[in-house]
Amino acid sequence: MAGRGGCRRGREQLELERLGEAARAGSCPPSPPLSACSRQAWSRDNPGFEPEEEGAAAAAAGPVLEMDVEWGSPAAGASSSLGSGAAGQGGGGGGGRRQQRRPPAGRGGAEVPGRHQVQPDGAAPHRAAWAKRLARRLRGLWGTRLMEESNTSRERYLKSVLRELVTYTIFLVVLCVLTYGTVSSSMYYYTRVMSQLFLETPVSKMEKTDFKTLSTMDDFWKFTEGPLLDGLYWEMWYNNKTMAENKSFIYYENLLLGVPRIRQLKVRNGSCSIPEDLKDEIKDCYDVYSVANEDTAPFGLRNGTAWTYTSEKDLNGSSHWGLIATYSGAGYYQDLSRTREVTAVQIASLKKNLWLDRGTRAAFIDFSVYNANINLFCVVRLLVEFPATGGLVTSWQFQPVRLMHYISTFDFFLAACEMAFCLFVLYYMVEEILEIHIHRLHYFRSLWNCLDILIIVLSVVAIGISIYRTSTVDMLLKKLLEDQNSFPNFEPLAYWQMQFNNIAAVTVFFVWIKLFKFINFNRTMSQLSTTMSRCVKDVIGFAIMFFIIFLAYAQLAYLVFGTQIDDFSTFQDCIFTQFRIILGDFNFTEVEEANRILGPIYFTTFVFFMFFILLNMFLAIINDTYSEVKSDMAQQKAEMELSDLIRKGYNKAMIKLKLKKTTVDDISESLRQGGGKLNFDELRQDLKGKGHTDAEIEAIFTKYDQDGDQELTEHEHQQMRDDLEKEREDLDLDRSSLPRPLSSRSFPRSLDDSEEDEDEDSGHSSRRRGSSSSGVSYEEFQVLMRRVDRMEHSIGSIVSKIDAVIVKLEAMERAKLKRRDVLGRLLDGVTEDERLGRDNEIHREQMERLVREELERWESDDTASQMSHRLGTPLGLNGQPRSRNSRPSSSQSDGIDGGGGNGGNNIHV
């Protein structure tokens, strides 16, 4: 009582000082610092805490203060001095033990007797308290399970995980809105109609050759003079009416931006060596394309950009990866016109003066269009490659990109999502920095942590590309509007847009994969990750064996079929083709026609080893590991999971909204229906139907069934009613929003515990007796501690008695084996005498001597057993010492051996 009185006086003094400081400062009073009463709240989470020992209270307050100060290092000294004062405010006794942590002397000339005294400067405690509050709030904002203490309870740990999961889910939704908001089905149809116009239109009405099937240079010029001009310049409506002057709208909807450009790359003559024997026959030699072999000399008319070389830097171009080689952004180019007639003249001039010759290795046709209906640009590149073997190979690239943003209402919504995404990236950057600061290099041992770093890096790169793209497109459009007869080079923007799309796709993929980090807290969902982690060594060993055989077959196929089958033309194509064979996609006819002997042998053996043997071995490794993981998880102790925490919060919310009955209401209704008596089966059946678990029902019934007859008497019935009424009153107080003061007898709840569920194990209603609904009373805490101590003592006594019984049974078993040995020798002696016809008198004397010795041994064993009974361990069935005869009967011996029957009054505790 003295301690509680001191606590109350300390709290009143604190309130007066806070009001005085608030009046002087003219601001709201700060949150009260920790007093001596706070050790009571701490004791609820630490059962080993002893409130009577003031020194233990001061020692217990130490780790809490260190954890608070850890996040506010500038205020560490002030916080420590305040913490030492808090230990001296609790009560009257033990003052010498509480002053273990004191502020340094000399600051005011004397030691500070309590934490609530204002120091001479006055501002230092205020700054320290402000820094602590700020650090606590920041820690709560970025609190994750990696920042939790190792001794944190499972429920609090899951709350951190749930909070992290909710935050991450919002981040995932924002990212998906951003990525899917910039992509639509219009992009596909846009690409489709443009490709049909330029790729599938025949070069003439008499020929079926289109861009995809071009084979000679003559076909190339037919394409440029026919389908290319028809597709680029739409100057007439279908009724022969003229469209707007100097403007071309492809399909009447897509504006041709600027003018198209045609460009070629050449290799110089003599770039390859000719054998000596053929130099007289072959005068010219043009090697395959490479930057070193590139021709930069003027040719043909030697005037204009079409006949003189222009570097990549002057063209502001970039390299392009074709089907045969990678080509630079330089070359000989010709910008076409905005009208069909002028463009036709330019193309005819190029064809007449042999613009394409033997040295040509690639020809590019570039142009860009814009569709205002869907706000999309389409950057088109048609590539014709002329390999050193002769002929040509065509490829194409249609890139629909959205370069102009923030036009429609949805665009502004996406802008808000972009801002939210940037804030999330900043939030996670700070979070990872804090976790790295706490765990140092151990942080990178987790694959999930490395994945977090990768997601942040990809997000920052995507943000940088988006900023560059937005700023560059404005300058490019401004330049285009100033000179509409120039070629708008959107190719770099299209390239960065493609990289942005790739990064966004990879980021979204990894963000979705990271959901397994949270789903793994469910035992069922964690089976996948556990299975993969356990079988990783076996899978690596299998992969080595698999790829040795796989690559051996790939080498064989490349060397045998590479010159005749397109799917085996390169080593990379061989690898992909073999994966397709494993999946069932193959063309056996081509393989057989390429080599009628090795083809079938290759195919048959590859399918046998790879599909029927190695693939089944891989499945066996996975299945065996999964079975082991499943059996191990079945033996593990069940822990609280995220689903349990969510269900618990849902039930609590439903009860507070009065949409669901509490356990108190269900038990009260069962008691009313039961009348005067209520047995366990009736209560269990009734409460099971209302959704309560067997553990809760058994705990409730065991608490009030004091005589253990599995039936509640009228007195026990009335006691349960009284406790239920008190429980209902406490629950009503919980539901009410009125503020209620803490009782001086109860432990105040800490900030972290204020949100914990009050209705857990609601059958134990007596825990609230004598306290408000916000805490556990000191008297109840002491009663529970004493009960736990008695239980531990009783369990220890029971265990020692069980050990004594086990030792006694082992001794009896050894004695029984000796008796069997003696009786066996006697029987053997009788049988031997009868067989040999020996003197019966001598035999009788030997038998009497052996039996007498055995009886003496039994009597000595009996005496030792009675002495152990007096010491008090083995007891009979009725709790009495076990009685023994001087000569145990055979039935008793058999009972001991079998553990059943009488068993010599089997030993029990």
Side-chain angles (χ1 to χ4, degrees), residues 41 102 170 261 283 291 324 518 578 585 730 779 782 862:
R102 298 176 177 174
I170 298 174
R261 171 176 289 178
K283 303 297 182 182
V291 177
I324 299 176
F518 305 100
Q578 289 189 160
D585 180 16
D730 291 341
E779 288 78 7
Q782 291 298 318
D862 230 12

Side-chain angles (χ1 to χ4, degrees), residues 498-519:
M498 183 184 299
Q499 302 308 316
F500 175 82
N501 293 339
N502 295 336
I503 293 175
V506 174
T507 304
V508 172
F509 171 78
F510 283 130
V511 167
W512 276 101
I513 291 298
K514 190 186 170 183
L515 280 179
F516 280 103
K517 180 179 181 179
F518 305 100
I519 296 177

Side-chain angles (χ1 to χ4, degrees), residues 619-630:
L619 296 177
I621 292 172
I622 299 297
N623 288 333
D624 291 345
T625 309
Y626 179 76
S627 301
E628 294 176 2
V629 170
K630 196 170 183 180

Side-chain angles (χ1 to χ4, degrees), residues 64-98:
V64 180
L65 292 174
E66 289 177 4
M67 183 174 63
D68 291 338
V69 174
E70 179 184 357
W71 291 85
S73 56
S79 301
S80 300
S81 62
L82 293 176
S84 62
Q89 285 283 349
R97 300 180 63 183
R98 295 181 199 172

Side-chain angles (χ1 to χ4, degrees), residues 370-545:
Y370 173 71
N371 190 312
N373 301 332
I374 55 179
N375 188 27
L376 285 177
F377 291 82
C378 187
V379 182
V380 182
R381 168 165 286 181
L382 304 177
L383 173 60
V384 180
E385 298 178 75
F386 300 89
T389 59
L392 55 85
V393 179
T394 59
S395 59
W396 51 89
Q397 196 174 70
F398 294 85
Q399 300 182 44
V401 293
R402 190 185 303 274
L403 299 177
M404 300 178 65
H405 300 277
Y406 318 127
I407 296 177
S408 63
T409 305
F410 183 72
D411 291 339
F412 287 104
F413 171 71
L414 291 179
C417 292
E418 289 175 353
M419 297 176 61
F421 177 76
C422 295
L423 292 177
F424 270 112
V425 172
L426 180 62
Y427 170 84
Y428 282 116
M429 288 177 65
V430 175
E431 177 182 299
E432 302 308 318
I433 290 173
L434 293 176
E435 291 180 355
I436 293 174
H437 175 73
I438 294 174
H439 298 279
R440 305 294 180 182
L441 294 179
H442 294 279
Y443 171 86
F444 297 98
R445 293 185 178 180
S446 173
L447 179 62
W448 295 117
N449 295 338
C450 297
L451 183 61
D452 292 338
I453 298 296
L454 179 60
I455 291 174
I456 291 175
V457 171
L458 292 175
S459 301
V460 172
V461 172
I463 292 173
I465 293 177
S466 179
I467 295 174
Y468 168 78
R469 179 193 59 191
T470 304
S471 60
T472 305
V473 70
D474 293 336
M475 295 187 297
L476 191 59
L477 290 176
K478 183 179 179 181
K479 182 179 178 181
L480 175 64
L481 293 175
E482 293 175 355
D483 184 10
Q484 297 185 5
N485 292 320
S486 63
F487 170 72
N489 190 8
F490 284 94
E491 195 272 333
L493 284 177
Y495 169 79
W496 285 113
Q497 178 65 36
M498 183 184 299
Q499 302 308 316
F500 175 82
N501 293 339
N502 295 336
I503 293 175
V506 174
T507 304
V508 172
F509 171 78
F510 283 130
V511 167
W512 276 101
I513 291 298
K514 190 186 170 183
L515 280 179
F516 280 103
K517 180 179 181 179
F518 305 100
I519 296 177
N520 282 342
F521 287 96
N522 185 288
R523 295 183 64 185
T524 303
M525 299 298 180
S526 63
Q527 292 179 2
L528 173 62
S529 60
T530 308
T531 301
M532 297 304 297
S533 61
R534 283 197 184 184
C535 69
V536 62
K537 293 183 178 179
D538 295 334
V539 170
I540 291 175
F542 166 81
I544 294 174
M545 177 177 59

